[in-house]
Amino acid sequence: MIIDCHGHFTTAPKTLHAWRKKQLDGMHDPAIALKKTDLVISDDEIRAAIEDGQLKLQKARGGDLTLFSPIAGQMAHHLGNERTSLLWAEVCNDLIHRVCNLFPENFVGVCQLPQAPCVPPASCIPELRRCVEQLGFVGCNLNPDPSGGYWQDPPLTDRYWYPLYEEMVRLDVPAMVHVSSSCNPCFHGTGAHYINGDTTAFMQFLLADLFTDFPTLRFVIPHGGGAVPYHWGRYRGLSLEQRQRPLEPLLNNIFFDTCVYHEPGVRFLTQVIPIDNILFGSEMIGAVRGRDPNTGEYFDDTKRYLDACAHLSAEERHKIFEANVRRVYPGLDAVLKKRSVVAAASL
Amino acid sequence: MIIDCHGHFTTAPKTLHAWRKKQLDGMHDPAIALKKTDLVISDDEIRAAIEDGQLKLQKARGGDLTLFSPIAGQMAHHLGNERTSLLWAEVCNDLIHRVCNLFPENFVGVCQLPQAPCVPPASCIPELRRCVEQLGFVGCNLNPDPSGGYWQDPPLTDRYWYPLYEEMVRLDVPAMVHVSSSCNPCFHGTGAHYINGDTTAFMQFLLADLFTDFPTLRFVIPHGGGAVPYHWGRYRGLSLEQRQRPLEPLLNNIFFDTCVYHEPGVRFLTQVIPIDNILFGSEMIGAVRGRDPNTGEYFDDTKRYLDACAHLSAEERHKIFEANVRRVYPGLDAVLKKRSVVAAASL
């Protein structure tokens, strides 16, 4: 099975964006305050958005299933406030839930959290619980910088975040560490803030004892781990110097996806980072949607790059494409096991 | 010749740090305001610091010459103000000048600029001019984030920075884009802020038309270019999408050093980025000072990694170790040409 751990509903109907705009425009005026029910999107609209978007490319590229979450750049936790963020997360997660119900073979949900700058992340627990327990989601996206490029919340290893981690551990769901858009003019969103967020989070984990406190807590660092694999020697050295311990045990809790948009980069990732820590991901129809004029292929068709890695054995490919993501997201594994039981019973 | 483009005087006598501390402690009290002459460091102290530090390792590793600048992490433009930053830059640059006079065969100067958060960089012009025209320095270090991790100045491509660039062009000196320490608890200095600064600056250059306005302006992005080479496909795609132009012409003005602290990373750099754009650098006795327990060698001995790159031809090595840095830093080339003329005359 080919499972893409990193998909966002970037092709969502424009009605969604219009609702959000209206929500923010009216956030200080109760007279025009929006309700969730003010957003009307039909099943046909969702079908069209998916069938002509992520599902089309999933099939064309030989994929089977995508862990699917709301648009990362649109989480925009720096806009609005705690209340608008909660409603916005509910709306976006409900939409993902409908996608997963319409296409249960192809998409499994991962949720957006209702974060807000400098609001304790414990506030996200009810929505996380709702998504996992009621909507069947298997993970969440956690924004290490709800301020959108000004980095004003404490590091991810601070006790500030612990109540949320306790709930993640209880539910046995991992988080993908994923910033949203940047409102800092120094940082382009997908070209700087995304990659910096990945690198920053990894270094925070390196310095702290988070995984002593939460031995089963798991994070996926997307975009190939930011700068981390390329600077693996730097991080090995920093761990030895700053914490007098080897870096490698961090890999019990931290995983990287393959959203690196050229073949040499993906090959490098698979040669430097242990295979058990690599999850296939494409973030398709995301940061880079075009085709490479040198090859005629999509930049974000990362499966193609993995297929070209001649050094990977069949077992290693199986790990990257399926086994690792099922291990890191036990909820997904449960869905797939249940599915195969049902399939066997119907024979 | 083996020329290291990236060295800082990290082994400077502790008196220097004490002077800086006193300067900051007294910045609001004219009664205890320090003068440059309050810092007393003897030639013997400098000799000891260098002979037991950067010179010892330069020789041990087979190097010949290092472009040498003040300690990057101690520039700390976010501390003090414009006035203290200027005095601090003068003190640090004068010390580098003394190193270069004591060891003229081994070190050539690169200056610290007296930046301060949200102070127009034109304020740095007199010190840049002094260092180049009077002290014989051949480049400068430019901090893209004088706020130390809060990124409050405009992007490097903003006209805010243009007066400084005009002077760099007039003097024909490049800048290494180099942040200083971080006062944002989210960002570890050498583990996150450094690498993020590199990635951020590159993306700023990608989006703008700076090199249309300054065709001969040149920047070295250190630490192997941050995350950029690893994500080369992302940047190629972003350039095509965001600016409808190929990325590659940026390489007329942007160069990467080899401060990547493991062999696979350095090999990757030399396979993805054109050789003409790679400058040997080590930033030795810097972020990672220890030895890799797997090999017994220093993490920051990047020459060793290059030596192990069997795919590099003799001509390519010559470019990385000497020719490129002489092209990017014409002042260095002039120093070396003058030196060989003198050597020939003395035969």
Side-chain angles (χ1 to χ4, degrees):
Chain A
M1 240 187 129
I2 308 293
I3 303 172
D4 185 338
C5 78
H6 191 170
H8 303 292
F9 193 7
T10 51
T11 60
K14 293 288 169 240
T15 339
L16 179 71
H17 305 282
W19 187 93
R20 171 64 162 169
K21 185 177 182 311
K22 217 164 162 184
Q23 183 201 31
L24 293 173
D25 288 348
M27 66 178 273
H28 297 302
D29 183 357
I32 56 167
L34 285 178
K35 292 189 285 291
K36 282 165 72 170
T37 47
D38 291 328
L39 175 64
V40 180
I41 296 177
S42 70
D43 282 359
D44 281 349
E45 285 177 282
I46 294 177
R47 272 194 207 97
I50 289 290
E51 284 172 351
D52 199 43
Q54 280 82 3
L55 186 61
K56 188 170 85 178
L57 289 189
Q58 184 193 90
K59 286 184 173 170
R61 297 178 185 181
D64 295 304
L65 188 150
T66 301
L67 292 187
F68 210 51
S69 62
I71 310 173
Q74 297 286 331
M75 298 190 299
H77 297 116
H78 57 282
L79 301 179
N81 55 33
E82 189 181 349
R83 184 179 56 78
T84 55
S85 268
L86 176 58
L87 197 56
W88 175 230
E90 288 174 353
V91 161
C92 291
N93 291 329
D94 287 349
L95 192 63
I96 294 295
H97 184 228
R98 291 177 65 195
V99 171
C100 297
N101 279 347
L102 289 170
F103 301 94
E105 297 296 313
N106 303 98
F107 297 95
V108 169
V110 164
C111 69
Q112 169 176 333
L113 295 173
Q115 298 178 247
C118 303
V119 172
S123 68
C124 299
I125 292 174
E127 178 62 3
L128 174 65
R129 197 177 288 165
R130 181 181 82 93
C131 288
V132 175
E133 294 186 336
Q134 295 176 35
L135 309 187
F137 285 21
V138 300
C140 60
N141 292 334
L142 182 64
N143 185 348
D145 172 30
S147 75
Y150 288 96
W151 294 88
Q152 297 182 342
D153 281 63
L156 287 178
T157 49
D158 192 278
R159 286 180 174 272
Y160 177 76
W161 302 87
Y162 274 28
L164 179 62
Y165 297 157
E166 285 165 10
E167 189 64 12
M168 283 170 56
V169 166
R170 191 186 76 76
L171 296 167
D172 203 13
V173 294
M176 179 174 279
V177 178
H178 205 308
V179 297
S180 185
S181 51
S182 159
C183 61
N184 185 326
C186 286
F187 300 133
H188 181 267
T190 54
H193 190 43
Y194 274 35
I195 306 295
N196 292 350
D198 305 332
T199 308
T200 300
F202 183 85
M203 188 64 199
Q204 293 174 355
F205 295 139
L206 181 157
L207 289 171
D209 293 306
L210 182 61
F211 304 117
T212 308
D213 293 342
F214 295 101
T216 63
L217 187 63
R218 299 176 302 285
F219 293 100
V220 177
I221 302 192
H223 321 110
V228 171
Y230 177 47
H231 288 283
W232 197 240
R234 173 176 288 254
Y235 292 104
R236 287 188 57 236
L238 282 168
S239 183
L240 292 167
E241 279 188 41
Q242 303 283 323
R243 295 304 316 270
Q244 296 77 49
R245 62 189 181 193
L247 179 64
E248 289 72 10
L250 261 194
L251 294 176
N252 293 328
N253 303 83
I254 291 180
F255 305 84
F256 302 115
D257 78 11
T258 64
C259 295
V260 178
Y261 293 159
H262 61 150
E263 189 187 314
V266 168
R267 193 185 323 123
F268 178 80
L269 170 67
T270 61
Q271 288 170 334
V272 168
I273 301 299
I275 296 297
D276 285 343
N277 292 78
I278 301 174
L279 277 57
F280 169 58
S282 74
E283 202 174 15
M284 61 165 67
I285 322 183
V288 182
R289 304 181 180 199
R291 292 174 186 264
D292 184 343
N294 295 348
T295 63
E297 306 295 344
Y298 286 108
F299 280 108
D300 64 5
D301 185 358
T302 57
K303 178 170 176 294
R304 185 176 293 272
Y305 306 140
L306 283 163
D307 290 344
C309 285
H311 66 281
L312 292 173
S313 70
E315 188 195 343
E316 288 173 328
R317 284 171 200 280
H318 174 69
K319 285 181 171 181
I320 293 173
F321 284 122
E322 177 180 346
N324 293 342
V325 68
R326 292 179 71 154
R327 193 176 78 249
V328 176
Y329 293 79
L332 170 67
D333 189 56
V335 167
L336 295 176
K337 279 189 174 137
K338 195 172 160 190
R339 192 187 283 184
S340 59
V341 169
V342 171
S346 71
L347 286 181
Chain B
M1 238 188 130
I2 308 293
I3 303 172
D4 185 337
C5 78
H6 192 169
H8 304 291
F9 193 10
T10 51
T11 61
K14 292 289 169 240
T15 339
L16 179 72
H17 305 282
W19 186 94
R20 170 65 163 169
K21 185 177 181 313
K22 218 165 161 183
Q23 182 202 30
L24 293 173
D25 289 347
M27 67 178 270
H28 297 301
D29 184 355
I32 57 168
L34 284 178
K35 291 189 285 294
K36 283 166 72 170
T37 48
D38 291 329
L39 175 64
V40 180
I41 296 177
S42 70
D43 282 357
D44 281 349
E45 284 176 283
I46 294 177
R47 271 195 208 94
I50 289 290
E51 284 172 352
D52 200 41
Q54 280 80 3
L55 185 61
K56 188 169 84 178
L57 290 189
Q58 184 193 90
K59 287 183 173 170
R61 297 178 185 182
D64 296 302
L65 188 149
T66 301
L67 292 188
F68 210 51
S69 62
I71 310 172
Q74 297 286 331
M75 298 189 299
H77 297 117
H78 57 282
L79 302 178
N81 53 34
E82 190 182 347
R83 187 178 55 79
T84 55
S85 267
L86 175 59
L87 197 56
W88 176 229
E90 288 173 352
V91 161
C92 290
N93 291 329
D94 287 348
L95 193 62
I96 294 296
H97 184 228
R98 291 177 65 193
V99 171
C100 297
N101 279 346
L102 288 169
F103 301 93
E105 296 296 312
N106 304 98
F107 298 96
V108 169
V110 164
C111 69
Q112 170 175 334
L113 295 174
Q115 297 177 247
C118 303
V119 172
S123 68
C124 299
I125 293 173
E127 179 61 3
L128 174 65
R129 197 176 289 166
R130 182 181 81 94
C131 288
V132 175
E133 294 186 337
Q134 295 176 35
L135 308 187
F137 286 22
V138 300
C140 60
N141 292 334
L142 181 64
N143 185 348
D145 172 30
S147 75
Y150 289 95
W151 293 88
Q152 297 181 342
D153 282 62
L156 287 178
T157 48
D158 192 278
R159 285 180 174 271
Y160 178 75
W161 302 86
Y162 274 28
L164 179 61
Y165 298 157
E166 284 164 11
E167 189 64 12
M168 284 170 56
V169 166
R170 191 186 74 77
L171 295 167
D172 203 13
V173 294
M176 178 174 279
V177 178
H178 205 308
V179 297
S180 185
S181 52
S182 159
C183 61
N184 184 328
C186 286
F187 300 132
H188 181 268
T190 55
H193 190 43
Y194 274 34
I195 306 295
N196 293 350
D198 305 332
T199 309
T200 300
F202 184 84
M203 188 63 198
Q204 293 174 357
F205 295 138
L206 182 157
L207 289 172
D209 293 307
L210 182 61
F211 303 118
T212 307
D213 292 342
F214 295 101
T216 63
L217 187 64
R218 299 176 303 283
F219 293 101
V220 177
I221 302 192
H223 321 111
V228 171
Y230 177 45
H231 288 284
W232 197 239
R234 173 175 288 255
Y235 292 104
R236 286 188 57 235
L238 282 169
S239 183
L240 291 168
E241 280 189 39
Q242 304 281 325
R243 294 305 316 270
Q244 296 77 49
R245 62 188 181 195
L247 179 63
E248 288 72 10
L250 261 193
L251 295 175
N252 292 329
N253 303 82
I254 292 178
F255 305 85
F256 302 115
D257 78 11
T258 64
C259 295
V260 176
Y261 293 160
H262 60 150
E263 189 187 313
V266 169
R267 193 185 323 122
F268 178 80
L269 170 66
T270 61
Q271 288 169 335
V272 168
I273 301 299
I275 296 298
D276 285 344
N277 292 80
I278 302 174
L279 276 55
F280 168 59
S282 75
E283 202 173 16
M284 60 164 68
I285 322 183
V288 181
R289 303 182 180 200
R291 291 174 186 264
D292 183 344
N294 295 348
T295 63
E297 306 295 344
Y298 286 108
F299 280 108
D300 64 6
D301 186 358
T302 56
K303 178 170 176 294
R304 185 176 293 273
Y305 307 141
L306 283 163
D307 290 344
C309 286
H311 66 281
L312 292 174
S313 69
E315 189 195 342
E316 289 173 328
R317 284 171 200 281
H318 174 68
K319 285 181 171 182
I320 293 172
F321 283 123
E322 177 179 346
N324 292 342
V325 68
R326 291 178 72 155
R327 194 176 77 247
V328 175
Y329 292 79
L332 169 66
D333 188 57
V335 166
L336 294 176
K337 279 189 175 140
K338 193 171 160 190
R339 193 188 283 182
S340 60
V341 168
V342 171
S346 71
L347 286 180

